[in-house]
Amino acid sequence: MRLHADVLDEMEGEGEEGAVMASAVLSPPLMGAAGAAAAPPRLVVGYALTKKKVKSFLQPKLVLLARKNGISFVSIDVSLPLSEQGPFDVILHKITSKEWQQVLEDYHEEHPEVTVLDPPSAIEHLNNRQSMLEEVADLNLSNFYGEVCTPRQLVITKDPSSIPTAVAMAGLTLPLVAKPLVVDGTSKGHELYLAYDEASLSMLHPPLVLQEFINHGGILFKVYIIGETVQVVRRFSLPDVNAYDLLNSVGIYRLPRVSCAAATADDAELDPLIGELPPKPLLEKLGRELRSRLGLRLFNIDIIREFGSKDRYYIIDINYFPGFGKMPGYERVFTDFLLSLAQSKYKKYLSGT
């Protein structure tokens, strides 16, 4: 597994309304016996993405680099039968509707030779914050330069008035971060609130997840997984909460979305215990484990380091197909990933399997 370590502040608006509509047909490459071994891999990537995602991800530099390497991107019209479009080697998608997921699953049953990035059944695991972190809970990475944990959390599905009692019974410590239970691809699914006192908890709106807030020096690490490549970027996060804050703050505060923060951590003078990137072996192992457990190849992990600890990390979120467009050098990383898929398909073609 390869790992790239860079420092970057990233902006990730991820609204999911309105898929881009178009269709295309591509003829498969023709290869004679003499020229087959020398022919470059060719890959047709059909994409079903929102307009916003197309703009942020399919940037001209990526499209040009891919084209130079024999990769074509063609838009999928989700209003037409998928079987009437293509042929595709790969389908790249981020549409959250149940109808689309069923269409894609049916299509893949009929066309198992097509690589779907990623299977809807695997993505579904990340659409619910109750199940999102389950695969992390039993990870044992203690021999890989750090301990990886998840914050203690409580799921509330109804009756806001019962939240204070439920929190007390669960033994959770204030303040608590409130997140929507369902990640539906809209901006609402990423709204965060910080609750300072028990009395204000009944003002929240279920279904939601309450996570204990962990001081982390105001720095968050976003770890991107693209196939076997791992790349980590660093950005400013929410400030720590101290004793004064707890004594003098009441109510619920809406938090800014960290992924949309304008400030960068590139040139900041940070304490190494706060700003140092997580160890490469730890991230490589974490990437391999979660890629296998989740069955995904395109996702990112939000990680924080507990303030005052050198090697105790918490995973607070996992997201499918995040904003790769702001990741440094993503064009080459993603193109190389697609080329690895093309090479695998090409070898199968030559072997007749």
Side-chain angles (χ1 to χ4, degrees):
M1 178 177 287
R2 297 166 292 165
L3 183 138
H4 302 260
D6 296 281
V7 177
L8 174 74
D9 171 68
E10 179 180 323
M11 299 170 62
E12 290 180 19
E14 289 294 334
E16 296 293 334
E17 296 82 17
V20 175
M21 308 297 185
S23 62
V25 176
L26 179 99
S27 299
L30 299 177
M31 300 181 221
R42 290 185 58 84
L43 206 70
V44 181
V45 180
Y47 63 89
L49 305 171
T50 64
K51 291 181 180 180
K52 193 169 188 177
K53 194 69 174 178
V54 169
K55 184 177 180 180
S56 67
F57 175 71
L58 286 177
Q59 297 182 22
K61 187 176 179 180
L62 171 62
V63 175
L64 180 60
L65 183 61
R67 185 183 302 132
K68 288 181 177 178
N69 285 275
I71 301 169
S72 301
F73 290 101
V74 295
S75 180
I76 292 172
D77 187 338
V78 297
S79 68
L80 297 176
L82 193 53
S83 58
E84 296 179 2
Q85 304 178 66
F88 305 114
D89 297 297
V90 175
I91 292 181
L92 188 65
H93 69 103
K94 193 174 182 181
I95 295 178
T96 58
S97 72
K98 295 291 186 181
E99 294 79 8
W100 165 256
Q101 293 177 16
Q102 189 60 54
V103 166
L104 198 53
E105 288 176 356
D106 293 343
Y107 178 83
H108 194 235
E109 284 187 10
E110 297 178 4
H111 301 276
E113 75 282 1
V114 177
T115 301
V116 176
L117 298 173
D118 275 308
S121 58
I123 299 171
E124 188 76 17
H125 200 72
L126 300 187
N127 290 340
N128 184 297
R129 286 193 166 92
Q130 182 174 13
S131 61
M132 178 186 292
L133 301 181
E134 287 178 349
E135 296 295 345
V136 181
D138 62 345
L139 281 178
N140 182 9
L141 303 180
S142 58
N143 295 326
F144 290 90
Y145 306 92
E147 180 183 4
V148 178
C149 315
T150 58
R152 292 204 301 161
Q153 66 179 35
L154 178 66
V155 176
I156 305 293
T157 58
K158 57 183 178 180
D159 190 9
S161 64
S162 69
I163 298 178
T165 301
V167 167
M169 291 180 63
L172 296 186
T173 303
L174 292 163
L176 296 173
V177 180
K179 304 179 179 182
L181 177 61
V182 177
V183 183
D184 59 4
T186 68
S187 58
K188 186 175 179 62
H190 293 278
E191 289 181 354
L192 304 179
Y193 295 86
L194 189 62
Y196 279 99
D197 64 290
E198 186 175 298
S200 63
L201 292 173
S202 58
M203 299 168 56
L204 295 168
H205 302 287
L208 54 83
V209 169
L210 296 174
Q211 282 184 354
E212 285 189 332
F213 183 85
I214 297 167
N215 283 338
H216 51 284
I219 293 295
L220 177 143
F221 305 101
K222 282 191 95 66
V223 182
Y224 292 96
I225 312 295
I226 300 179
E228 295 186 358
T229 298
V230 178
Q231 180 160 324
V232 56
V233 298
R234 183 179 66 197
R235 68 166 53 138
F236 285 118
S237 178
L238 304 173
D240 289 346
V241 176
N242 55 38
Y244 178 86
D245 295 326
L246 289 174
L247 289 174
N248 294 275
S249 301
V250 294
I252 295 175
Y253 295 83
R254 183 171 181 176
L255 300 173
R257 189 174 172 188
V258 175
S259 60
C260 295
T264 72
D266 291 23
D267 302 317
E269 295 183 4
L270 300 172
D271 185 325
L273 290 178
I274 295 175
E276 183 181 0
L277 295 172
K280 175 180 177 180
L282 177 70
L283 296 182
E284 290 179 334
K285 176 67 173 178
L286 182 61
R288 284 195 301 270
E289 287 287 335
L290 288 182
R291 195 174 69 248
S292 174
R293 289 169 179 246
L294 297 173
L296 298 173
R297 283 179 277 188
L298 301 176
F299 62 99
N300 87 282
I301 314 162
D302 289 346
I303 298 180
I304 56 175
R305 178 192 289 113
E306 184 176 16
F307 182 73
S309 168
K310 180 177 176 58
D311 57 5
R312 186 176 176 85
Y313 300 93
Y314 285 84
I315 294 179
I316 57 175
D317 249 331
I318 305 176
N319 304 286
Y320 169 66
F321 199 167
F324 291 125
K326 295 292 183 176
M327 188 178 78
Y330 91 101
E331 300 92 348
R332 170 54 63 187
V333 174
F334 207 88
T335 299
D336 286 347
F337 167 60
L338 292 176
L339 284 174
S340 71
L341 298 179
Q343 192 63 41
S344 176
K345 187 179 180 69
Y346 187 52
K347 288 180 180 178
K348 290 182 179 179
Y349 173 87
L350 292 178
S351 64
T353 59

